[in-house]
Amino acid sequence: QVQLVESGGGLVQAGGSLRLSCAASGRTFSMYRMGWFRRAPGKEREFVASMRWSGGSTDYADSVKGRFTISRDNAKNTVYLQMNFLKPEDTAVYYCAASTGVTFAGYAYWGQGTQVTVSS
């Protein structure tokens, strides 16, 4: 089992920045890939960014490329999402997710989410 806890959400003006954190605990040695997703009001959950827990192999949604950066600190068992140049359309609940195993087979573990609100 892996437990994930997000933090760092809040209210920010358009053009501002936020850094989300996702602290992992439990069987962190088994984590393979980490991802960030978001769900805006009235919309389905969508992919934002992901990376291998061992580092590298980053991937981003087109809507956030050049503005968001995913990174991790293995010593702290934490994944980050640095969000710059935020737009009102980035307003959503942001979720951290983890896959485990030796290959990617979907995200089995999810955090509870953290709210990000961007005002215009």
Side-chain angles (χ1 to χ4, degrees):
Q1 293 281 351
V2 173
Q3 295 79 43
L4 304 171
V5 179
E6 303 97 332
S7 62
L11 173 64
V12 64
Q13 288 188 330
S17 299
L18 280 176
R19 188 177 79 159
L20 305 183
S21 299
C22 173
S25 60
R27 297 174 61 89
T28 57
F29 62 87
S30 66
M31 295 192 302
Y32 179 74
R33 195 165 188 89
M34 306 295 292
W36 285 98
F37 292 77
R38 66 187 182 187
R39 176 173 286 165
K43 295 186 177 181
E44 294 188 354
R45 185 177 63 198
E46 66 174 356
F47 167 77
V48 176
S50 68
M51 70 179 300
R52 281 191 181 179
W53 179 240
S54 59
S57 188
T58 57
D59 190 22
Y60 295 93
D62 288 342
S63 59
V64 307
K65 280 181 182 176
R67 300 189 298 124
F68 291 11
T69 302
I70 187 171
S71 63
R72 94 275 187 250
D73 185 332
N74 293 88
K76 296 182 178 180
N77 286 332
T78 300
V79 176
Y80 303 99
L81 185 67
Q82 177 67 43
M83 306 186 295
N84 299 327
F85 306 108
L86 283 161
K87 305 175 181 180
E89 50 263 44
D90 294 319
T91 295
V93 177
Y94 283 72
Y95 299 90
C96 175
S99 73
T100 57
V102 296
T103 60
F104 182 69
Y107 293 100
Y109 301 97
W110 295 82
Q112 83 290 348
T114 185
Q115 176 71 47
V116 171
T117 303
V118 184
S119 63
S120 58

